Structure formats: C-alpha cells, structure tokens
Amino acid sequence: MNNMSPEVALHRISPELRPLLCSVVRNGRVGLDSTNCLRVTDLKTGCTSLTPGPSCDRFKLHIPYAGETLKWDIIFNARYPELPPDFIFGEDAEFLPEPSELPHLVHWDAENPECLLQLVKELIQQYHQYQCQRLRESSRLLFEYDSLLEDPNYGRNMEIYAGRKNSWTGEFSARFLLKLPVDFSNIPIYLLKDTALDPGEDVALLSVSFEDAEATQVFPKLYLSPSIEHALGGSSALHIPAFPSGGCLIDYVPQVCQLLTNKVQYVIQGYHKRREYIAAFLSHFGMGVVEYDAEGFTKLTLLLMWKDFCFLVHVDLPLYFPRDQPTLTFQSVYHFTNSGQLYSQVQKSYPYSPRWDGNEMAKRAKAYFKSFIPQFQEGAFANGKL
Amino acid sequence: MAASISGYTFTSVCYHSANSNSDHEGFLLGDVRQEETVSISDTQISSAELLQVVEIHNHDPCAHLFSFYDYAGKINEENLNSILKDRRKNVIGWYRFRRNTQQQMSFREQIIHKQLTQLLGVPDLVFLLFSFISTANSSTHALEYVLFRPNRRYNQRITLTIPNLGNTSQQEYKVSSVPNTSLNYAKVIKEHGAEFFDKDGVMKDIRTIFQVYSALQDKVQAVCGEVEQSERVKEKIQEDVNKLKQQIALRKRKTAEEERRLREAQNADSHSTPEENTEPPEASLLSRITFHSPSAPERPSTSPNPPSYTDLLSQDDSLLSSSSPPTSAALLPRPQAVGSPGHPTPGPLGMGLGLGLGLGLGAISNPVTTPSTPYLGNGDGSSSDSLDRHAAGQEDDEDDDDDDDEEDEDSSEYENLVSEGAHLPMVSASVLAQGRPAALSPDGDARGSQTT
C-alpha cells in the first residue's frame, strides 16, 4: 500500500474521479522540489462495502515540502463526483486556510482534470504562508526570513517549514529550502543525458536547518537534481562551506550560490577547453586520429608511427581539464601481455601546463611522444610477446 | 464536561449513516445542563464541582451533502432554517459520518463549525464524528465515534456515554431525563391520564394511600386517648380496690379478734362437733371466701415468701378431714398454679374463691388443669383459673363435676366466677367484673390472683 505505483492507484479509484487523480499523479509537481513527485497511498472508499467495482474516493497524498513530506487526506464522494473534496491536513491540525484564498475550491469544476492539482498548489501556497506565520515565534529566524524575502533572487523561491521539534521541550526549529538561482542551461547536454531517471527540471536546492531558535545549530545541505549532480562530478561536488556561526542566510546563500555557479562555469569551460584540445590534436595529427569523442570530447585515440614502429596513444581528458592533466596510454600494436591484452603503458605525468592552449598542448604532446617512444618500444619488445 | 446520548438516538444515527452511500451529516438536538456537586468530607469543608452535561435527545439528518453550505463552506442561513425549522433552538451540535477516514475534524468541518457556533448562538457546540473503518477483505467493520468540542483549546474530545449500554455491573435500567416529544404519546396520556392522575397531576393512588394513612393516624390518636382514659379509670379503681381491701382487712381483724375471744370463751365451756365444722359448704365457703381474700393482701405484709407446697398439703388435709378453724383456713395460702410465679400480690376475689376450694384433695390430685382449657401451664392467672374451676368442681362432688366439665370446655373463667361471685356479698359485682379482665393479662395482677 505504501509503495503504490500511480497506475495501481488510478485503477482503483472511482472512474469519475480518475481524471482528477491522473493529473496529480502523472504530472503533479508542486513546490520547489520537483524531483519528488506527488504520491498517492491509502486508497479507501466512502461507499458501502457492498459497492462493486473500483469505488475508492479518498486517499492520502504525499507532498514534498521544505524537506518534509506532508501527508494530507483528500476526501471525495464517489456517488457525488461533482462535489469538491474535503481535506484533513494530517498533523497540522491548526492549519486552516481561508477558503476565499482558494479559487479552485470556490469555483470547483469537476470537469477540469487539472482542478485538483491546482487546488493542491493553492493549498501549498497557503500552507507556506501559515508556516511563515509560525516563524514569528523566533525573532531571529523571522529576521532571516524577512531578509531573504527582500532579495528577489531568493524571495520567491522559498519554502519554509517551521515548528516545534519536540513538544515537551518546546524546542523550536525551522527549515529553509531555497532554490538557488544558478544557470544550468549552458551545461553541455552530453553531461545531462547520462542519467537513468527522468531528469526533469535542473535544480539546485539549498536546505538550511535551524535546530534551535537562536540559530546556533545550523545544518546546510545542498540538493542537486541527479543530472546536475552527475554533470558536476558526483556527490563530491556537493561540498559546501559550513554555515558560519553568527552568520546570516542572506550572506551565506549567495556564497553557496557563487560556489555552485563557479563549478558550473568550470565545467562548461572544461568542455570548451577539451573541445579546443581535441581540435588542436586533430589538426596536428590529422590522419593519425583513429577516433575521438565528438560529444563530450573526453577521449582521443591516435595511431602513430615512429621508425616503422606503430603504436596507439589513448588520451583521456578528465572532467576538470585543463586543471587536471590528461592521461596518456601508449599501446603497442604488435605485442601482447600474458593476459592477452595489448601491451600498454600509462603516463600520467609528463610535461604539462594548464596554461597552454590547445595548439601548444598538441605541439608539446608531439614532442613528448618523440621522446618517450624509444623507451616504450624497448619495453614492448622486452615484455611483450608477438 | 460529560455527554450522553440515548440508545435509540444513537442507533437511529447509525442507521441513517450506515445506509447512506456517501458521507452523511445532520444536526443533534438536545439540551445542556449544569450539574453542581457539593461534596463534604472530613478533610475539607466542602468542594463544589461544576459539570456541564450535554444530553442528545434526537437528531435531524440532512437529506444530502452541501444542503446548507456551498463549495467554499459558507453557510446559507435560509437553507439552514428550512432544514431545522422550529427545532433550531434545540440544536446543541451536529454530526458527520464518513467511512475510512481519520478521527480528526476536516478542513470544511472546521469552517462550518465556526459558522454554526455563531449562527446558532451555542458557545459550546459539539461535533460528533462517526467513522466507519473496514478491513481490506471486509471481514471486520468498526464504527468509531468521537465527540468533539472544537471551540475549546484543550480537552477537545469528550467521552460520550450511552446509558444502559456497556456497563455490565449496573443492575438497574437507567431512565434518562429525555423528554418524550412524541405527539402520539402526549395524546394518549392526555386521554387516559384522568384515570390515574387527578387535577393536580398527582397520581390518584398516592392520594388514596395518603388518605388511608391519615385515617389510621386519626384512629391511633383516638385510641391513645381512650387508652389514657381507661388507664386512669383503672388506676382509680385500683385505688378503690386497695382501699376496700384495707377496710376488709381491718374488719376481718376485728371480727377475728372477737371470734377468738368468743371461741376462747366457748372452748372453755364445751367441745364443738365436727358437723358444725362441716356446715353447708356455702357457709364455710362464705367464711373462707371472706377470709381468704383478705389473706391475700395480708400475705405480702406477713410473709413475703409464699408457703411451700408441702405446707399447703398439710393444711389442706387439716381442712378437709378435721375441723380446722376458719381462721387458719383463712390464713392458708392459695396453691400456686403450675408454672406460675409465687408472687403474693393481691388479686380479685373471684380468684380467691376458686383457690380456697381447691385447697382440698382436688388441688393435690390434679394440680395440673385438664388440657381442654386453653390456659394450661401458663405463668399467668388463667391456668390457676382452670385449677380453680377444677377444684371447685371436685369440692362440689359429682354434681358440679358435670357442670364444671361442661363449663371447662367452653365457658370462660369469667362466667364461672360470675356465678360464684353471687356468693360474695362483701364484694361488689362491679369490682369482680372489673377485676376479671385483669386476670387475663399476664401481669402481676393475674399472678397475684393465683397465689396467696
């Protein structure tokens, strides 16, 4: 019941309500965290138990919000599908939105499949306001909120969750979830394509948890959508500086933003640099190029000959090229190792400088090949078998 | 706060709810009363507890959802009035039934509740939530109900009790104070009520019983008066009797003195024949009677202890066989009846008559009275009465035996003694008659009559 796939839910719900649920389950994305879509569980019926067929008309909707998951009960009546639903807001017993702020409730149109989804979005907005109201219990956090609100970059893309962590001690806590205005559009597509999941929107979210009202315990965390995370080099890319004690969000958040932006820029630059590198090699070695990665420009294979000795050179360009040095793998075309592979040698350190441009790197690489090949040839003859 | 709902209202709501194919709602009618309990204990002077009790008498189901509110949850007062009509003032809450949902007020329910509180003017409006939970395979169904008072901040849930349901330790059927609002019932009671109730609304039986009680009370009061009077009369008579007895004793002493002087004089002259002593029994009787009765009052003064039975026997012998001086006979103690205490209290003369006669063999041979008499072996004077009778019969030989036997069967001692009392010139019949009843009572008087 808990891990119900959307299709199962749609199958069990009453036919008249199906379109409404469909839009929620299939396309429903509310809030900043659009990677987690809305989930439906605990489908029950409000009709008598003898009613045949799919007749479920009430369910629990899981909505990700500010790092939490809201579990709201939505109650329809299958016998009267034209009527608007009722809600139970789970543990937030004090959340009572003003119906006038919910136009999709006041003008409920059961014929519109998007109506429920829109209503849920409006409710989330009201919920957000309700949570911001609760921030008033802590002046410090209220200040944080207000300062962020003023900044147009962050003000409109914020989700707050405030509440008492522990009802006994009355420890007040809050979580700010901010969408970072980082431009990911220039990230090369090849980087983003490589994910199994539907990537959705590329988003970076910064979650800052205040464990106490005085902001002495602050835990920031960066969430990237999977494609971005992959594009930026995996979870190691998520290292962000710790929240400075006594600092404010309004100072910290731009900091993180900048860091992320720099990283993105670097990745973009790296892409371009690699492209430049490959282009240079192509022009220098011309016919010697066997193959290269034309998309990501991460690999290049050359077939070269020196004094009737043919060999292959594989060039692997790292992600943070040109900061990191490309790996050169020399491979003999004649000799085999004991395991049946072609004899090869890897060279990671050779004369290199990241400040050279593509042409320079190609020239220097050529020079290096000439100097290294005799060594390699000897090694191949000595260790390899024909 | 406590709340209760009558069993039939509860089942009616459940019935309406369970038969609906969707959510269901309606209004609860009833009233709220305040109960104040003042408890006094040794540790504290008094403490008063104020309890608000909500009683749900009836319910008014709504025909369909959204019947008095719109999509936004705003109540339409006209629709509300058309649903409630004149029952509006009795509304104390509303209820809602929904299947397979949590026991928590929903968004719309809270909005509606706020508005209802204001519109109906009930500050503590209650909300009864029914929730019907079924297991997945429909094997188990549970009907849960919770009563909320959402207008309070804390303790929002109240326990709802259904009288006569659930508590098996309760022995009797609790009657609730729910007023019966049925028109039919009111009609029937009005028609037939006159047979049971009078014009004031009090049950007739109660009045009748009260009248009986009053009559009995009056009678008792009257009897008390009569008893008092008779007691006083009896007192007076007792005084007279005592006076007369004293006079008699005095006179007896005088005559005894004279007689003694005479006898002394006579003895000196000649011997008296025994026939003279065996004079007609009436004469001896008379003398004995006259002497015996004073002996009774004499007894307590002269000898506090009654003479033993052996003494009696010896004296009896002397009485019958030989010529005992009437004086000695007069001084002879009366035989005690079996089982009677030997209290030598003064008794009526009639008693003395029988006893005097019974001093003879009759008394010896048949100390116990025949079983035919009702007073056998009793400690009161009645047994001695029969003894007297028997002795009297034997004294008079067979002539009186039959009479006495007959008389023993059915006649009371009273009749006996009345006939014999004719021989007592010194004693007035009224005294005898008056004294007779006293013999019947098991008090000192009767006992006294048995003994000498």
Side-chain angles (χ1 to χ4, degrees):
Chain A
M1 189 64 88
N2 276 337
N3 289 324
M4 193 190 306
S5 83
E7 304 310 314
V8 174
L10 286 173
H11 183 68
R12 289 183 54 192
I13 201 154
S14 163
E16 293 89 353
L17 300 169
R18 201 166 286 155
L20 290 167
L21 194 65
C22 200
S23 62
V24 165
V25 161
R26 292 229 173 98
N27 313 323
R29 297 215 194 285
V30 295
L32 299 176
D33 189 2
S34 49
T35 53
N36 285 324
C37 52
L38 301 170
R39 259 187 336 126
V40 162
T41 61
D42 295 321
L43 274 164
K44 297 272 168 68
T45 179
C47 309
T48 58
S49 49
L50 295 173
T51 312
S55 59
C56 288
D57 53 6
R58 44 207 63 183
F59 49 88
K60 221 188 251 298
L61 189 65
H62 297 248
I63 305 162
Y65 174 82
E68 304 275 326
T69 306
L70 306 174
K71 300 181 188 65
W72 289 353
D73 289 301
I74 300 182
I75 302 164
F76 281 95
N77 275 289
R79 288 280 157 258
Y80 306 99
E82 71 279 4
L83 296 175
D86 202 356
F87 296 87
I88 297 178
F89 299 118
E91 288 167 9
D92 295 301
E94 294 177 7
F95 172 50
L96 202 65
E98 187 57 48
S100 53
E101 304 283 340
L102 307 167
H104 274 89
L105 178 65
V106 178
H107 307 294
W108 173 262
D109 178 15
E111 304 297 321
N112 175 12
E114 298 290 316
C115 207
L116 180 62
L117 184 62
Q118 295 302 322
L119 177 56
V120 171
K121 284 187 178 162
E122 282 160 11
L123 281 169
I124 292 286
Q125 274 180 8
Q126 294 298 309
Y127 187 77
H128 170 77
Q129 291 205 2
Y130 161 74
Q131 291 290 357
C132 295
Q133 289 286 326
R134 292 178 75 180
L135 273 182
R136 293 190 195 290
E137 286 190 44
S138 162
S139 56
R140 171 86 170 83
L141 296 176
L142 185 63
F143 159 73
E144 297 276 9
Y145 167 71
D146 285 335
S147 53
L148 279 173
L149 198 61
E150 282 166 9
D151 191 329
N153 282 335
Y154 314 109
R156 281 182 296 124
N157 293 317
M158 210 172 17
E159 277 176 8
I160 313 277
Y161 183 79
R164 296 204 171 276
K165 214 174 26 169
N166 189 336
S167 53
W168 288 107
T169 62
E171 200 50 57
F172 186 81
S173 66
R175 189 178 299 117
F176 286 70
L177 189 69
L178 297 141
K179 181 168 164 181
L180 297 174
V182 177
D183 188 7
F184 297 110
S185 54
N186 290 327
I187 291 186
I189 315 238
Y190 82 96
L191 283 169
L192 304 172
K193 219 170 62 163
D194 220 5
T195 53
L197 310 162
D198 176 17
E201 191 188 332
D202 297 322
V203 69
L205 300 170
L206 179 64
S207 153
V208 184
S209 297
F210 292 90
E211 296 298 317
D212 65 331
E214 299 313 311
T216 51
Q217 290 179 44
V218 187
F219 302 102
K221 201 154 184 231
L222 185 65
Y223 293 96
L224 301 170
S225 48
S227 52
I228 301 290
E229 191 176 325
H230 180 84
L232 295 182
S235 53
S236 57
L238 301 181
H239 285 294
I240 47 172
F243 193 85
S245 60
C248 316
L249 278 177
I250 196 64
D251 300 323
Y252 179 73
V253 173
Q255 224 182 330
V256 175
C257 222
Q258 193 58 48
L259 196 73
L260 200 56
T261 313
N262 289 346
K263 267 215 171 93
V264 169
Q265 284 299 320
Y266 210 82
V267 167
I268 295 172
Q269 272 188 0
Y271 170 78
H272 287 293
K273 281 279 182 184
R274 287 197 301 277
R275 203 164 72 164
E276 198 191 319
Y277 180 95
I278 299 287
F281 267 67
L282 284 174
S283 68
H284 274 258
F285 291 95
M287 297 300 290
V289 174
V290 176
E291 61 180 10
Y292 68 95
D293 178 6
E295 232 183 35
F297 304 104
T298 52
K299 292 163 88 75
L300 176 68
T301 305
L302 302 164
L303 177 63
L304 303 168
M305 195 165 77
W306 178 77
K307 294 190 175 152
D308 295 324
F309 179 68
C310 291
F311 59 96
L312 290 164
V313 181
H314 303 280
V315 182
D316 288 297
L317 294 156
L319 190 60
Y320 290 111
F321 175 82
R323 185 190 76 188
D324 302 334
Q325 196 169 347
T327 313
L328 299 173
T329 310
F330 291 89
Q331 208 173 42
S332 165
V333 299
Y334 312 106
H335 305 92
F336 290 92
T337 58
N338 292 329
S339 56
Q341 304 288 326
L342 288 173
Y343 176 78
S344 60
Q345 268 189 20
V346 179
Q347 283 296 327
K348 284 204 175 128
S349 52
Y350 51 87
Y352 173 84
S353 169
R355 286 188 298 277
W356 300 329
D357 66 350
N359 270 325
E360 189 66 28
M361 284 192 196
K363 273 194 276 186
R364 300 280 183 140
K366 214 178 203 180
Y368 175 71
F369 295 156
K370 282 192 185 142
S371 68
F372 180 68
I373 276 303
Q375 232 179 308
F376 176 72
Q377 192 180 19
E378 278 173 31
F381 274 111
N383 300 322
K385 300 182 290 216
L386 281 166
Chain B
M1 198 186 202
S4 76
I5 184 170
S6 56
Y8 40 85
T9 306
F10 182 79
T11 46
S12 182
V13 173
C14 289
Y15 175 80
H16 272 110
S17 307
N19 277 318
S20 78
N21 214 352
S22 66
D23 295 347
H24 175 72
E25 62 205 5
F27 294 94
L28 297 171
L29 312 168
D31 51 27
V32 181
R33 64 171 197 273
Q34 295 253 12
E35 268 183 14
E36 188 172 344
T37 315
V38 177
S39 50
I40 302 170
S41 72
D42 291 339
T43 52
Q44 52 191 114
I45 301 295
S46 77
S47 65
E49 261 182 45
L50 211 59
L51 185 68
Q52 213 176 5
V53 178
V54 171
E55 276 196 1
I56 301 168
H57 298 162
N58 211 345
H59 76 108
D60 193 1
C62 292
H64 50 89
L65 297 167
F66 288 87
S67 52
F68 60 97
Y69 51 91
D70 62 6
Y71 287 177
K74 182 149 166 44
I75 293 183
N76 182 337
E77 201 164 347
E78 276 177 28
N79 290 353
L80 186 70
N81 284 334
S82 66
I83 293 170
L84 290 176
K85 300 188 201 40
D86 57 347
R87 291 187 295 265
R88 187 174 156 143
K89 56 186 181 322
N90 293 335
V91 174
I92 49 144
W94 64 300
Y95 70 90
R96 218 152 176 272
F97 166 86
R98 28 183 170 89
R99 290 189 175 86
N100 294 318
T101 52
Q102 290 187 51
Q103 280 186 354
Q104 217 178 324
M105 281 186 87
S106 76
F107 162 58
R108 193 172 292 121
E109 282 158 12
Q110 289 185 47
I111 291 171
I112 290 171
H113 190 88
K114 281 204 176 84
Q115 296 178 66
L116 277 177
T117 307
Q118 269 191 329
L119 283 173
L120 296 171
V122 180
D124 230 348
L125 199 72
V126 297
F127 174 67
L128 181 57
L129 178 64
F130 283 94
S131 174
F132 200 85
I133 315 279
S134 307
T135 50
N137 55 357
S138 299
S139 60
T140 311
H141 307 274
L143 178 71
E144 296 173 358
Y145 54 96
V146 184
L147 191 66
F148 291 93
R149 44 175 185 177
N151 297 330
R152 305 243 173 159
R153 205 166 157 71
Y154 303 106
N155 293 336
Q156 286 193 347
R157 295 182 182 214
I158 324 166
T159 38
L160 184 65
T161 54
I162 303 169
N164 303 311
L165 184 73
N167 188 1
T168 52
S169 66
Q170 180 186 315
Q171 296 295 326
E172 54 183 39
Y173 194 80
K174 268 201 207 149
V175 180
S176 73
S177 61
V178 176
N180 200 318
T181 52
S182 158
L183 288 169
N184 288 330
Y185 176 83
K187 235 186 271 179
V188 169
I189 290 297
K190 200 169 160 184
E191 266 179 53
H192 295 93
E195 290 171 31
F196 298 93
F197 295 92
D198 63 10
K199 54 177 173 28
D200 294 333
V202 179
M203 279 195 80
K204 284 183 179 171
D205 293 342
I206 294 175
R207 273 210 202 282
T208 317
I209 289 169
F210 196 75
Q211 279 169 9
V212 168
Y213 165 75
S214 306
L216 282 169
Q217 280 290 95
D218 292 338
K219 287 280 185 286
V220 167
Q221 292 291 335
V223 166
C224 280
E226 279 174 21
V227 166
E228 198 217 344
Q229 279 189 5
S230 74
E231 281 290 309
R232 291 210 193 287
V233 167
K234 196 196 97 172
E235 245 183 70
K236 191 167 171 313
I237 288 170
Q238 196 63 40
E239 274 180 39
D240 292 343
V241 163
N242 289 344
K243 273 193 215 150
L244 285 169
K245 279 185 181 170
Q246 280 172 8
Q247 286 178 5
I248 287 167
L250 198 60
R251 246 187 251 172
K252 261 198 192 164
R253 274 206 296 276
K254 282 189 194 154
T255 50
E257 287 286 324
E258 284 178 23
E259 289 260 320
R260 214 180 324 116
R261 269 190 257 112
L262 265 171
R263 247 187 277 118
E264 280 166 2
Q266 275 180 11
N267 277 343
D269 293 343
S270 61
H271 301 286
S272 60
T273 56
E275 290 83 29
E276 286 178 14
N277 285 349
T278 56
E279 276 171 20
E282 294 87 3
S284 62
L285 250 165
L286 265 168
S287 61
R288 275 188 220 133
I289 289 165
T290 53
F291 292 148
H292 276 193
S293 41
S295 73
E298 274 181 358
R299 275 292 153 231
S301 55
T302 53
S303 59
N305 295 327
S308 65
Y309 198 63
T310 46
D311 293 341
L312 270 172
L313 284 177
S314 57
Q315 284 167 10
D316 288 346
D317 280 337
S318 63
L319 183 72
L320 280 174
S321 55
S322 61
S323 58
S324 54
T327 48
S328 61
L331 293 169
L332 283 170
R334 288 185 206 156
Q336 295 177 24
V338 174
S340 66
H343 293 309
T345 51
L349 294 168
M351 287 306 207
L353 170 77
L355 273 171
L357 292 170
L359 282 169
L361 279 168
I364 299 159
S365 61
N366 198 0
V368 181
T369 56
T370 57
S372 58
T373 53
Y375 310 103
L376 264 178
N378 291 339
D380 55 8
S382 46
S383 53
S384 60
D385 295 342
S386 30
L387 184 66
D388 299 342
R389 269 185 269 129
H390 226 75
Q394 291 197 344
E395 277 294 325
D396 294 339
D397 294 330
E398 286 78 25
D399 294 332
D400 290 323
D401 269 329
D402 299 324
D403 297 334
D404 279 328
D405 283 334
E406 289 168 356
E407 284 166 4
D408 282 345
E409 308 289 337
D410 51 358
S411 63
S412 63
E413 309 116 83
Y414 185 80
E415 287 172 24
N416 260 349
L417 286 165
V418 163
S419 57
E420 286 162 12
H423 303 296
L424 307 170
M426 292 184 71
V427 181
S428 64
S430 62
V431 171
L432 188 67
Q434 288 253 336
R436 196 68 202 86
L440 289 170
S441 62
D443 56 3
D445 276 352
R447 290 199 205 96
S449 66
Q450 302 161 24
T451 63
T452 55

